[in-house]
Amino acid sequence: MQRHRRLMTMLIVFVMLFGTLPVSAATKYGKVGGRTYYYTISKAKNRRIEKKGEKAGSHLKKWMAGNLRLVAEYALGDYAIPFNVVENMVNNDSVKYYEKSYSSYVFQTKYKQRKIFYYSDKARKRRNVVLQDEKGEADVFYEFHPVGVGFKKSTYSKKIRSKAAVKTMFYDNKKRNLQRCHINANHRSREIWTLNAEILSERWKR
């Protein structure tokens, strides 16, 4: 019992000092420019990400007529939203849609953080992190925010993806990442890619 309490105390102290639970053991990533790079993967974390889209604007009439689809691209995945999705959510033929209406998106993510580094001492105790990125999964919700009167809600929501695979843009591009590691190491800098920053972009598509 006392041993268990000591272990719990040590874990709590670790979290207080470093802010996260222990990560995986270091694994070799690759070698470039005479340096060997390694990586660690953090324990899975949860994060809620909310992103507001652009106003429907001049695209509204074409969207309503079925000539355009709103395409939400999120971390290497995408989902096309025809206007009948909105109509089914609202379910009211008497309302009028206005150009100031807009969409937004909610991502409930569970992700892991990868840190790529090199050892700056022969004892392999000092780690210099040069690149950091993320990978995980997300439940994706589409939200429509109407502007005007006659709507029963101010926000209509629909789940469009369950446990969608999401990752930062260059997560699997090992050749590119090693090149960036070499550049960052020479400039004593760190490159950080996060799902929060690049998880969503919107475009209109025929």
Side-chain angles (χ1 to χ4, degrees):
M1 187 68 177
Q2 289 182 344
R3 182 172 178 273
H4 177 73
R5 286 178 178 173
R6 284 199 301 270
L7 287 172
M8 288 300 296
T9 302
M10 289 172 64
L11 181 61
I12 291 170
V13 170
F14 186 96
V15 173
M16 290 177 65
L17 288 175
F18 298 99
T20 59
L21 291 171
V23 298
S24 65
T27 303
K28 185 176 179 179
Y29 188 69
K31 188 174 182 179
V32 63
R35 285 193 185 96
T36 301
Y37 294 90
Y38 302 83
Y39 70 91
T40 56
I41 304 291
S42 73
K43 182 179 174 67
K45 305 175 184 179
N46 293 294
R47 180 195 291 157
R48 176 185 171 91
I49 302 172
E50 296 186 39
K51 294 288 184 179
K52 180 179 177 180
E54 298 294 325
K55 294 176 182 177
S58 60
H59 300 291
L60 178 63
K61 289 183 179 179
K62 290 183 179 180
W63 189 24
M64 292 176 66
N67 297 326
L68 287 178
R69 292 172 295 159
L70 175 60
V71 179
E73 298 179 339
Y74 51 92
L76 305 183
D78 63 75
Y79 190 83
I81 304 165
F83 193 76
N84 61 21
V85 170
V86 173
E87 292 178 313
N88 290 336
M89 291 163 63
V90 175
N91 192 26
N92 187 345
D93 294 333
S94 65
V95 297
K96 184 177 180 180
Y97 298 94
Y98 291 91
E99 293 181 354
K100 291 185 178 180
S101 300
Y102 65 94
S103 301
S104 65
Y105 309 83
V106 174
F107 300 84
Q108 297 282 21
T109 64
K110 185 175 184 179
Y111 70 100
K112 293 183 179 180
Q113 189 180 79
R114 180 175 66 179
K115 291 184 178 181
I116 303 175
F117 63 92
Y118 67 92
Y119 291 104
S120 58
D121 63 327
K122 291 184 178 180
R124 293 175 42 149
K125 290 185 177 180
R126 291 199 299 270
R127 298 179 177 184
N128 285 38
V129 178
V130 289
L131 197 148
Q132 184 175 311
D133 50 17
E134 296 175 351
K135 179 181 181 180
E137 60 184 21
D139 288 344
V140 187
F141 297 83
Y142 169 71
E143 295 182 342
F144 177 72
H145 304 267
V147 173
V149 296
F151 295 93
K152 294 180 180 179
K153 302 177 183 178
S154 60
T155 298
Y156 294 85
S157 180
K158 177 180 176 62
K159 189 176 187 179
I160 58 175
R161 280 288 191 273
S162 293
K163 295 185 177 181
V166 290
K167 64 184 81 170
T168 47
M169 187 179 300
F170 300 108
Y171 193 94
D172 293 326
N173 193 334
K174 188 173 183 178
K175 182 178 179 180
R176 180 263 176 201
N177 288 341
L178 282 172
Q179 291 174 344
R180 293 302 303 169
C181 286
H182 180 60
I183 293 170
N184 293 332
N186 288 338
H187 288 84
R188 296 183 180 181
S189 60
R190 180 186 300 193
E191 187 171 308
I192 299 175
W193 294 83
T194 67
L195 291 172
N196 188 61
E198 61 168 310
I199 201 167
L200 175 76
S201 64
E202 279 186 339
R203 62 188 175 92
W204 296 93
K205 186 177 180 181
R206 293 189 179 276

